[in-house]
Amino acid sequence: METHSSHKIVILAAPSGAGKTTIMARMMEWMPDQLSFSVSSTTRAPREGERDGVDYFFISEEQFKNNIEADGFLEWEMVYNGQYYGTTKKEMERIWNLNKVPLLDIDVYGAMKVKSIYGSQVLSIFIQPPSLQTLRERLIQRGKDSMENIEKRLAKAAEEIAQKIHFDTIVVNDDLNKACENVHKAVVEFLKN
Ligand code: 5GP
């Protein structure tokens, strides 16, 4: 992949239910000329309302594995339930060619992988939910997942929170508006240099 030292990447990682989707949307709204959402590829089924090529590229396990073979991923993980998620090099190039900075919504391990490759060209932000109990309540309220899936997401959340020390910036989301402002501030500062 052709990269340049001026190429930057912003990563938002957070346990699901930590408010990441709202923060992502707000960043795209506030900085449409600077940031572009990086559309990941996944083997999981689309949820209601999700669009192929917009929220994710929904692909088969065979297509995903072929792309691993072809060295097409910057990073990929089997996140849970045996589902694969990955950021393609092609997607990074598409966004850099627009002279924009990719905004990645990926899990902590993917974030650490990208950070290890691109170092100071990456701003990695961890969104921390106030507590696992709050996270549990939010996931139940959201009503998108079965109880079994919620338990899986919570187990993964606890694991992810333990990794927050590896991030450039930690933003606690106890107040969604404040969290958005803090993320915005960090991104503006990062893009200045
Ligand atoms: P969801 O299924 O709720 O959309 O996403 C589940 C988890 O997968 C989230 O933590 C999300 O950030 C992560 N994820 C989404 N895309 C990618 C990706 O391309 N790479 C990695 N490593 N994780 C991803």
Side-chain angles (χ1 to χ4, degrees):
M1 165 161 72
E2 219 186 290
T3 58
H4 193 272
S5 60
S6 66
H7 284 157
K8 292 183 173 179
I9 293 177
V10 175
I11 305 174
L12 271 187
S16 48
K20 184 171 54 170
T21 311
T22 308
I23 299 172
M24 290 292 294
R26 202 75 64 84
M27 286 314 112
M28 290 310 307
E29 198 183 301
W30 288 348
M31 309 183 78
D33 299 332
Q34 291 108 313
L35 300 177
S36 183
F37 177 66
S38 160
V39 181
S40 291
S41 300
T42 185
T43 59
R44 84 147 162 74
R47 296 197 191 104
E48 212 181 303
E50 283 184 332
R51 285 172 299 164
D52 187 37
V54 176
D55 300 287
Y56 281 105
F57 294 108
F58 295 101
I59 63 175
S60 67
E61 194 167 319
E62 191 189 349
Q63 285 172 305
F64 201 101
K65 286 181 175 163
N66 286 342
N67 205 29
I68 295 173
E69 283 289 305
D71 195 26
F73 287 109
L74 172 59
E75 64 77 35
W76 64 270
E77 295 284 334
M78 187 190 275
V79 175
Y80 35 48
N81 287 344
Q83 305 295 354
Y84 293 91
Y85 294 79
T87 309
T88 62
K89 296 177 179 176
K90 201 169 142 195
E91 181 66 356
M92 296 299 95
E93 276 162 0
R94 180 186 72 78
I95 296 171
W96 285 330
N97 284 336
L98 298 171
N99 281 321
K100 292 188 184 185
V101 173
L103 178 62
L104 275 55
D105 168 351
I106 62 178
D107 82 333
V108 293
Y109 302 104
M112 281 159 21
K113 174 85 195 297
V114 176
K115 184 76 191 171
S116 75
I117 299 170
Y118 283 108
S120 61
Q121 286 169 252
V122 174
L123 172 67
S124 60
I125 304 172
F126 185 83
I127 311 292
Q128 190 179 342
S131 70
L132 283 175
Q133 187 50 33
T134 309
L135 197 56
R136 181 188 301 273
E137 284 159 17
R138 284 184 192 170
L139 285 172
I140 292 171
Q141 224 170 26
R142 186 167 81 164
K144 280 193 198 168
D145 295 276
S146 63
M147 273 323 279
E148 190 195 337
N149 257 329
I150 287 176
E151 290 311 321
K152 276 189 194 155
R153 283 180 186 274
L154 286 170
K156 182 167 164 63
E159 204 186 299
E160 290 197 306
I161 290 168
Q163 303 300 324
K164 68 181 181 185
I165 48 165
H166 301 295
F167 283 73
D168 297 318
T169 306
I170 299 168
V171 172
V172 179
N173 179 18
D174 44 11
D175 172 327
L176 193 53
N177 286 323
K178 237 189 262 163
C180 289
E181 278 166 27
N182 287 336
V183 169
H184 182 242
K185 246 187 254 165
V187 173
V188 168
E189 192 56 35
F190 172 69
L191 295 185
K192 247 195 228 162
N193 307 309

